[in-house]
Amino acid sequence: MKMSKSEYAKYVSDKMPPSPIIKNCLMAFLFGGLICCIGQLIMDGWSAFGLTKEDAATATTISMVFLGAFCTGLGFYDNLAKRGGAGTLVPITGFANAVASPALEFKTEGFILGVGAKMFTIAGPVIVYGVSASVVYGLVYWAWAIL
């Protein structure tokens, strides 16, 4: 059966279920907002421990990355993303999920060729390089302060 491009496009649009755009946008807004509210609560908690605003923001970022990767490891974040859509991808927890997911998927291939190599797919290069550079910078800064 031969079809023109326009006939094929009409055929596909007739067979395709309608996209719930309003529902998807609402869920992304709610889930993204919920993640950001949790981040604000964590920041307020760090501030209550006596951290300055800048230090509390840094601790919150670290906490949110940890929570995103931890929830990915437990399998919770993927279920959350199925319901929240883009609302779970935009916050920093989504980037942690993007790094942890491929690493977990290929852990059977070993720590070097599996976890280590696959961690550098998707959003991994930016986050892994940023974290690695900050650790090196922190060690240099610490060593400089001791001298």
Side-chain angles (χ1 to χ4, degrees):
M1 168 158 84
K2 291 223 174 213
M3 286 188 205
S4 68
K5 288 184 180 182
S6 61
E7 289 173 332
Y8 181 73
K10 182 176 177 357
Y11 174 77
V12 169
S13 67
D14 290 343
K15 297 291 182 185
M16 198 167 39
S19 177
I21 292 174
I22 301 295
K23 178 188 169 227
N24 290 346
C25 289
L26 180 63
M27 294 303 282
F29 177 78
L30 292 174
F31 277 80
L34 178 65
I35 291 171
C36 292
C37 286
I38 291 169
Q40 185 63 50
L41 288 172
I42 292 172
M43 186 165 170
D44 292 344
W46 285 118
S47 294
F49 277 116
L51 271 67
T52 66
K53 188 172 184 175
E54 185 177 316
D55 290 341
T58 302
T60 301
T61 302
I62 293 167
S63 300
M64 294 300 285
V65 168
F66 169 77
L67 287 174
F70 184 71
C71 289
T72 298
L74 294 177
F76 174 70
Y77 205 87
D78 291 337
N79 293 331
L80 188 69
K82 286 178 188 173
R83 290 169 184 75
T88 60
L89 298 176
V90 174
I92 195 165
T93 53
F95 293 113
N97 174 263
V99 171
S101 289
L104 290 173
E105 185 177 341
F106 292 95
K107 68 182 176 184
T108 57
E109 295 181 22
F111 285 113
I112 304 295
L113 297 176
V115 175
K118 298 304 178 183
M119 197 164 51
F120 287 99
T121 61
I122 306 175
V126 174
I127 294 176
V128 173
Y129 177 77
V131 169
S132 301
S134 66
V135 168
V136 170
Y137 176 78
L139 291 172
V140 169
Y141 183 78
W142 175 74
W144 186 267
I146 290 178
L147 298 174

